[in-house]
Amino acid sequence: MKGKLIIVSGPSGIGKDTIVSEYLKRNNAYKSVSCTSRPMREGDIPDKTYHFITKEEFEEKIKNGELLEYTIYNHNYYGTLKNTLDEKLNNGIDVIMIIEVEGEANIKKIYPDSVSIFLLPPSMDVLKERLIKRGNVSLEDIEDRLETAKKEIEVSTRYDYNIVNDDLNMAVEELEKIVQKEKTE
Ligand code: ADP
Ligand code: 5GP
């Protein structure tokens, strides 16, 4: 049986990395590693969280057709390399990918059997608190991210599922239930 492709989206600071890390501790799945031209942040591990490359290297990959999809988010390139998903899926391994809304739309077209999940904040105030808690960003940057978040939340209804990330454990359990259900259908 083929693996399930699980797409997770949600605004910056909602808890995507936290939920997916917790999911991976409890379940067998491969996390897709994207390429990005953004600078490394605290906690990033090269080739684990992302393949960190320069803007020029990214543009070379676009030119050579090496990417399945890509986008510009917050002035930086992000994209998924071709082949990596199929290799895992064809070997029966579930693949989980954290991508933004444009990427989700593109991946859904290529992989209609994938399941897409959008993480919602309990409120915009909570989202702001989490962005502040994660640190490393200016107040201006936070306001920018909250504006982007509003636009992203508007398209969340087209996703297969929405999960409100209030209690972390409950959100992870909800994700587990969704994947189990999708795999038995
Ligand atoms: P994202 O990957 O969506 O940008 P992170 O996973 O980095 O978000 O989470 C942003 C911050 O919110 C982190 O400090 C994380 O510990 C915290 N966080 C995530 N989920 C919850 C939750 N359910 N309750 C409280 N704090 C949370
Ligand atoms: P961050 O800089 O916070 O790690 O990621 C910024 C945004 O880029 C997040 O919404 C994340 O989901 C998205 N993203 C990460 N990798 C990819 C990718 O390969 N393709 C697309 N379309 N978006 C991505």
Side-chain angles (χ1 to χ4, degrees), residues 11 15-16 27-28 35 49 53 55 60 65 74-75 85 89 103 113 118-119 135 140 153 171 176 182:
K16 299 182 293 298
N27 299 274
N28 210 359
C35 290
T49 44
I53 58 177
K55 182 171 169 277
E60 194 62 25
N74 276 342
H75 317 290
L85 303 184
L89 294 172
D113 286 344
F118 192 95
L119 301 178
E140 195 191 343
I153 289 170
E176 289 177 322
E182 288 286 325

Short mmCIF file of all heavy atoms in Angstrom, two decimals, residues 11 15-16 27-28 35 49 53 55 60 65 74-75 85 89 103 113 118-119 135 140 153 171 176 182:
data_model
loop_
_atom_site.label_atom_id
_atom_site.label_comp_id
_atom_site.label_asym_id
_atom_site.label_seq_id
_atom_site.Cartn_x
_atom_site.Cartn_y
_atom_site.Cartn_z
N PRO A 11 -0.90 29.67 9.82
CA PRO A 11 -0.12 30.90 9.93
C PRO A 11 1.16 30.73 10.72
O PRO A 11 1.28 29.80 11.53
CB PRO A 11 -1.07 31.86 10.64
CG PRO A 11 -2.17 31.04 11.18
CD PRO A 11 -2.23 29.78 10.42
N GLY A 15 2.04 26.86 15.44
CA GLY A 15 2.48 25.61 16.10
C GLY A 15 2.68 24.46 15.13
O GLY A 15 2.66 23.29 15.53
N LYS A 16 2.89 24.76 13.85
CA LYS A 16 3.06 23.70 12.83
C LYS A 16 4.24 22.80 13.19
O LYS A 16 4.11 21.58 13.22
CB LYS A 16 3.28 24.32 11.43
CG LYS A 16 2.12 25.16 10.94
CD LYS A 16 2.36 25.70 9.54
CE LYS A 16 3.49 26.73 9.44
NZ LYS A 16 3.26 27.96 10.23
N ASN A 27 4.48 8.63 15.73
CA ASN A 27 4.05 7.91 14.52
C ASN A 27 5.19 7.77 13.53
O ASN A 27 6.12 8.58 13.52
CB ASN A 27 2.91 8.68 13.83
CG ASN A 27 1.70 8.83 14.72
OD1 ASN A 27 0.85 7.96 14.77
ND2 ASN A 27 1.65 9.92 15.48
N ASN A 28 5.03 6.77 12.67
CA ASN A 28 6.03 6.53 11.66
C ASN A 28 5.71 7.33 10.40
O ASN A 28 4.75 7.03 9.71
CB ASN A 28 6.02 5.03 11.34
CG ASN A 28 7.38 4.57 10.92
OD1 ASN A 28 8.32 5.36 10.86
ND2 ASN A 28 7.49 3.29 10.62
N CYS A 35 13.61 23.18 0.35
CA CYS A 35 14.75 24.09 0.16
C CYS A 35 14.26 25.49 0.49
O CYS A 35 13.11 25.83 0.20
CB CYS A 35 15.18 24.11 -1.30
SG CYS A 35 15.95 22.61 -1.84
N THR A 49 15.74 20.56 9.09
CA THR A 49 14.56 21.44 9.03
C THR A 49 14.39 21.94 7.58
O THR A 49 13.27 21.96 7.07
CB THR A 49 14.69 22.62 10.01
OG1 THR A 49 15.99 23.17 9.94
CG2 THR A 49 14.43 22.17 11.43
N ILE A 53 19.87 27.17 1.13
CA ILE A 53 20.66 27.53 -0.05
C ILE A 53 20.52 29.03 -0.31
O ILE A 53 19.63 29.67 0.26
CB ILE A 53 20.24 26.70 -1.30
CG1 ILE A 53 18.74 26.89 -1.63
CG2 ILE A 53 20.54 25.21 -1.10
CD1 ILE A 53 18.29 26.16 -2.89
N LYS A 55 19.81 32.52 -2.59
CA LYS A 55 18.79 32.93 -3.56
C LYS A 55 19.22 32.50 -4.97
O LYS A 55 18.42 32.00 -5.75
CB LYS A 55 18.67 34.46 -3.46
CG LYS A 55 17.65 35.09 -4.33
CD LYS A 55 17.52 36.57 -3.95
CE LYS A 55 16.72 37.34 -4.95
NZ LYS A 55 17.48 37.79 -6.12
N GLU A 60 18.67 28.83 -9.65
CA GLU A 60 19.28 27.82 -10.53
C GLU A 60 18.40 26.55 -10.54
O GLU A 60 18.17 25.95 -11.59
CB GLU A 60 20.69 27.51 -9.99
CG GLU A 60 21.61 26.76 -10.92
CD GLU A 60 21.94 27.49 -12.21
OE1 GLU A 60 21.89 28.74 -12.25
OE2 GLU A 60 22.24 26.77 -13.19
N GLY A 65 14.46 23.09 -13.45
CA GLY A 65 13.24 22.29 -13.27
C GLY A 65 13.36 21.26 -12.16
O GLY A 65 12.78 20.18 -12.23
N ASN A 74 7.32 35.86 2.63
CA ASN A 74 8.14 36.80 3.42
C ASN A 74 9.48 37.13 2.75
O ASN A 74 10.52 37.11 3.41
CB ASN A 74 8.40 36.26 4.82
CG ASN A 74 7.26 36.54 5.77
OD1 ASN A 74 6.43 37.42 5.50
ND2 ASN A 74 7.20 35.81 6.87
N HIS A 75 9.46 37.34 1.44
CA HIS A 75 10.63 37.72 0.65
C HIS A 75 11.67 36.61 0.48
O HIS A 75 12.78 36.87 0.04
CB HIS A 75 11.32 38.97 1.24
CG HIS A 75 10.36 40.03 1.66
ND1 HIS A 75 9.63 40.75 0.74
CD2 HIS A 75 9.98 40.45 2.89
CE1 HIS A 75 8.83 41.58 1.40
NE2 HIS A 75 9.02 41.42 2.71
N LEU A 85 9.22 12.93 -2.61
CA LEU A 85 7.94 12.48 -2.10
C LEU A 85 7.61 11.09 -2.63
O LEU A 85 7.26 10.18 -1.87
CB LEU A 85 6.82 13.45 -2.47
CG LEU A 85 6.96 14.91 -2.05
CD1 LEU A 85 5.72 15.68 -2.43
CD2 LEU A 85 7.21 15.03 -0.56
N LEU A 89 6.56 7.64 -0.67
CA LEU A 89 5.17 7.20 -0.80
C LEU A 89 5.08 5.82 -1.45
O LEU A 89 4.33 4.96 -1.01
CB LEU A 89 4.36 8.22 -1.60
CG LEU A 89 4.18 9.60 -0.95
CD1 LEU A 89 3.54 10.58 -1.93
CD2 LEU A 89 3.32 9.51 0.31
N GLY A 103 1.40 26.57 -1.96
CA GLY A 103 2.04 25.26 -2.15
C GLY A 103 1.01 24.15 -1.98
O GLY A 103 0.99 23.18 -2.74
N ASP A 113 -4.90 12.52 -3.83
CA ASP A 113 -5.19 11.63 -2.70
C ASP A 113 -4.59 12.11 -1.38
O ASP A 113 -4.74 11.46 -0.35
CB ASP A 113 -4.64 10.22 -2.97
CG ASP A 113 -5.49 9.49 -3.99
OD1 ASP A 113 -6.62 9.96 -4.23
OD2 ASP A 113 -5.00 8.49 -4.54
N PHE A 118 -5.38 22.40 7.87
CA PHE A 118 -5.01 23.78 8.20
C PHE A 118 -5.14 23.98 9.70
O PHE A 118 -6.19 23.70 10.28
CB PHE A 118 -5.91 24.77 7.44
CG PHE A 118 -5.41 26.18 7.50
CD1 PHE A 118 -4.63 26.70 6.48
CD2 PHE A 118 -5.71 27.00 8.59
CE1 PHE A 118 -4.16 28.01 6.53
CE2 PHE A 118 -5.25 28.30 8.66
CZ PHE A 118 -4.47 28.81 7.62
N LEU A 119 -4.08 24.46 10.33
CA LEU A 119 -4.11 24.71 11.78
C LEU A 119 -4.57 26.13 12.05
O LEU A 119 -4.04 27.09 11.49
CB LEU A 119 -2.71 24.51 12.37
CG LEU A 119 -2.09 23.12 12.18
CD1 LEU A 119 -0.68 23.09 12.79
CD2 LEU A 119 -2.95 22.04 12.81
N GLY A 135 10.05 34.31 19.71
CA GLY A 135 11.17 35.24 19.76
C GLY A 135 11.80 35.57 18.41
O GLY A 135 11.32 35.13 17.36
N GLU A 140 7.22 44.99 14.31
CA GLU A 140 6.76 45.26 12.94
C GLU A 140 6.58 43.94 12.17
O GLU A 140 5.59 43.74 11.47
CB GLU A 140 7.81 46.14 12.26
CG GLU A 140 7.31 46.79 11.00
CD GLU A 140 8.46 47.42 10.23
OE1 GLU A 140 9.54 47.63 10.81
OE2 GLU A 140 8.25 47.68 9.04
N ILE A 153 -5.94 32.48 6.77
CA ILE A 153 -7.09 31.88 7.46
C ILE A 153 -8.33 31.94 6.56
O ILE A 153 -9.16 31.04 6.58
CB ILE A 153 -7.31 32.57 8.83
CG1 ILE A 153 -6.16 32.16 9.79
CG2 ILE A 153 -8.66 32.21 9.44
CD1 ILE A 153 -6.09 32.94 11.09
N ALA A 171 -4.56 18.63 19.90
CA ALA A 171 -4.35 18.92 18.47
C ALA A 171 -3.58 17.77 17.80
O ALA A 171 -3.92 17.36 16.69
CB ALA A 171 -3.61 20.24 18.31
N GLU A 176 -3.66 12.74 14.48
CA GLU A 176 -3.50 11.28 14.39
C GLU A 176 -4.80 10.61 13.93
O GLU A 176 -4.78 9.72 13.08
CB GLU A 176 -3.10 10.72 15.75
CG GLU A 176 -1.68 11.08 16.13
CD GLU A 176 -1.28 10.58 17.52
OE1 GLU A 176 -2.13 10.62 18.43
OE2 GLU A 176 -0.13 10.17 17.69
N GLU A 182 -8.17 8.64 7.20
CA GLU A 182 -7.87 8.77 5.78
C GLU A 182 -7.20 7.52 5.22
O GLU A 182 -7.38 7.17 4.06
CB GLU A 182 -6.96 9.99 5.55
CG GLU A 182 -7.68 11.30 5.73
CD GLU A 182 -8.60 11.63 4.56
OE1 GLU A 182 -8.27 11.29 3.42
OE2 GLU A 182 -9.68 12.21 4.82
#
